[in-house]
Amino acid sequence: MQVGLDLTQAIKQSGRGIARYIRELTPRLADPALDLQLTPCIRSQRWFQSSRVQLLTPGCIPRWLPFSFWMSASGLELFHSFGNHLPAISNVPLSFTIHDFRALDLSPSNGVGARLRRNIQRAEGIICLTEHGRSRLKHYYPDMEMNRVAVIPHGVDHEKFRPQDPDRARQTASRLGITAPFLLQLGSWFSHKNLEQAIRAFAASKCSKEGFHLVFVGGGASKDYRQSLAQLARLERVDEQIHWIENVAEQELPLLLSAASALIQPSRYEGFALPLLEAMAVGLPGVVSDSSCLPEVSGGVWPVCSQEDPEDFASGIDAICLDSERRQTAIAAGLKQAARFTWEQTARETADFFRRLSIQCNT
C-alpha cells in the first residue's frame, strides 16, 4: 500500500511532542513486515531542511509539497498527516492524527481551533491517542462516522526506558545540581500544565518538610508567567527547594526519571502524557490529576487527585513517597502498565488503520 506521510513537524529536532511521535513511529512503519510503501512528504519551505528527517525512512524518496493547500505527490493510495495540517486539495483519501482537543476545549476561538476544525472536516479518517480524545471528537462532531476513527496510543521505547543503575541515576541528577530526594514534573512550562498546583501541593506536603526538592524540566514559559511562578514559590516558602531546568539530553532522561522519588502530573489538560508511561517503565511511581486523559493513561496505577486542590494532591505525593508499601505496589503495577505500550504495537495498529480506511474509501 502506497502511503504518503507528512513528516514536516519532525524537522524540529527538540521537544517531546509531535516531533517525538513522528521520530518514534515512522521508522517502525517502515518495517517490511507491515507491507507499506512510504512516501515521506515535506511541506513548503521546510523542504530545504528535509535532510533532518530522511533517516526516518531509509530508502524512501522524499517528496516536496510546495503548496500547503495541495497534496501534489502522485502514486499514493492515502495521505496521512502526523501533525496539524491537511491540504484542501487532494486526489487521494486524507487522514491525520489528533494529538489533543485543547484548542477547542480551552481556546475555542483562536486560529489553532479553526485549523483543527478544518482538518476534521477534510479528513476521511482520524487517529485519536486515547478514548478521552475520541469522546471529545464525538462531543464536537456527534454525526461523525466513528468507524473511521481509531484510538491508537503512543508507545514506550523499552530499550531506553527501563530500570536504571541507581548510581548512574544519582550521578546524572547531581550533574544537574540535584542532590536531595526530589519530585519531578516534565513538560513545557505553560499554564495548562498547572505548575501552580505543583508548587502549592509540594509546599503543603510532608515531603517538603522532610527535605525533598521539586524539579521542573521543560522551559518555554513567557517571562511574566515564569516570574509569577517564582513569586508563588517565594510566597509558599519553597523557592530554595525548587530547580528550574530548561532541557535535559534525551539520553539522560531515563536516568533522571530513575533518580526521582516521584513523577507528578497536575496538568489541567493533556493529549496523552507519554512521561507517565516512560516513568512507569523505569520503575518510578507518581501522582496525576483528574483531568482529561490522565486517569485513563495511568490506568489506576497511581493516585488520581484533584487538579485544583493542593491539599489533595499533597496527600497523593506523601502516599507515594513516604508509604513504602503503597510505593512498591505502585512501582510493580506501573511496570506492568507500561509493558502494554510499545511503538511496534502503535505502528502495527496504524498500518491496520491505513489499510482499513483505504478499503472503506474505495467501497
Side-chain angles (χ1 to χ4, degrees):
M1 179 180 180
Q2 299 279 350
V3 180
L5 299 177
D6 185 348
L7 305 185
T8 306
Q9 287 182 257
I11 287 173
K12 179 182 178 183
Q13 296 296 293
S14 60
R16 291 174 48 80
I18 297 175
R20 169 85 179 284
Y21 169 74
I22 298 172
R23 290 196 298 267
E24 294 284 3
L25 179 56
T26 303
R28 292 168 171 90
L29 284 173
D31 183 343
L34 297 183
D35 197 26
L36 296 179
Q37 303 300 315
L38 302 181
T39 298
C41 300
I42 309 295
R43 288 181 280 109
S44 305
Q45 69 272 18
R46 290 292 186 91
W47 170 257
F48 301 103
Q49 299 172 290
S50 60
S51 60
R52 293 184 179 181
V53 298
Q54 288 182 12
L55 291 177
L56 298 179
T57 53
C60 300
I61 300 175
R63 302 281 187 91
W64 180 30
L65 304 183
F67 308 108
S68 291
F69 67 89
W70 178 27
M71 206 300 294
S72 54
S74 60
L76 302 180
E77 297 172 67
L78 178 74
F79 179 80
H80 184 84
S81 174
F82 288 130
N84 55 16
H85 179 85
L86 275 183
I89 301 172
S90 173
N91 61 356
V92 298
L94 301 174
S95 61
F96 80 116
T97 301
I98 298 181
H99 295 270
D100 63 57
F101 286 84
R102 181 161 50 100
L104 300 183
D105 287 340
L106 303 184
S107 305
S109 62
N110 68 15
V112 177
R115 185 187 305 126
L116 177 56
R117 287 187 179 278
R118 285 198 302 270
N119 287 347
I120 292 171
Q121 290 161 2
R122 292 170 180 174
E124 277 84 13
I126 292 172
I127 292 175
C128 295
L129 304 180
T130 63
E131 290 293 344
H132 175 267
R134 177 155 59 182
S135 72
R136 300 312 294 155
L137 179 62
K138 184 68 174 175
H139 170 78
Y140 287 109
Y141 292 87
D143 297 328
M144 175 166 287
E145 295 180 43
M146 299 308 288
N147 64 335
R148 297 196 179 193
V149 178
V151 174
I152 305 176
H154 284 183
V156 177
D157 184 343
H158 290 279
E159 290 295 316
K160 182 184 300 180
F161 292 94
R162 53 187 173 80
Q164 303 289 310
D165 177 76
D167 290 335
R168 289 189 61 213
R170 283 192 292 268
Q171 291 168 8
T172 297
S174 181
R175 282 197 301 272
L176 294 169
I178 312 162
T179 55
F182 66 97
L183 313 175
L184 176 64
Q185 180 170 344
L186 291 175
S188 301
W189 301 340
F190 298 154
S191 60
H192 72 277
K193 296 291 188 178
N194 206 5
L195 279 72
E196 299 92 337
Q197 169 84 330
I199 293 170
R200 292 189 178 104
F202 174 64
S205 71
K206 294 178 183 177
C207 285
S208 67
K209 314 302 186 294
E210 296 193 11
F212 282 68
H213 283 201
L214 173 60
V215 178
F216 293 110
V217 174
S222 67
K223 182 179 178 180
D224 289 346
Y225 186 52
R226 178 68 176 80
Q227 288 177 345
S228 72
L229 293 172
Q231 182 180 15
L232 176 61
R234 287 192 296 271
L235 289 172
E236 295 287 349
R237 299 182 179 179
V238 292
D239 53 305
E240 294 186 358
Q241 294 170 264
I242 295 182
H243 303 253
W244 303 89
I245 301 175
E246 292 279 340
N247 193 31
V248 170
E250 192 81 10
Q251 65 272 18
E252 290 190 324
L253 188 55
L255 290 161
L256 183 63
L257 284 166
S258 293
S261 297
L263 183 80
I264 59 173
Q265 196 84 30
S267 305
R268 296 187 180 94
Y269 202 97
E270 290 290 345
F272 187 79
L274 182 57
L276 269 64
L277 295 180
E278 292 175 339
M280 290 178 184
V282 305
L284 176 66
V287 184
V288 298
S289 75
D290 56 1
S291 76
S292 56
C293 67
L294 292 176
E296 175 185 343
V297 176
S298 60
V301 169
W302 293 354
V304 177
C305 302
S306 169
Q307 60 187 290
E308 303 298 345
D309 185 344
E311 295 289 343
D312 184 35
F313 212 91
S315 296
I317 289 171
D318 290 335
I320 215 69
C321 291
L322 304 179
D323 183 333
S324 60
E325 183 176 350
R326 187 165 185 183
R327 178 178 180 82
Q328 290 305 314
T329 299
I331 290 171
L335 289 167
K336 290 182 180 179
Q337 172 74 350
R340 297 175 49 234
F341 298 83
T342 70
W343 285 111
E344 289 73 21
Q345 179 66 19
T346 302
R348 287 192 293 271
E349 293 182 16
T350 301
D352 288 344
F353 166 78
F354 290 160
R355 280 188 280 270
R356 187 168 63 251
L357 179 62
S358 180
I359 293 170
Q360 289 172 328
C361 291
N362 287 292
T363 57

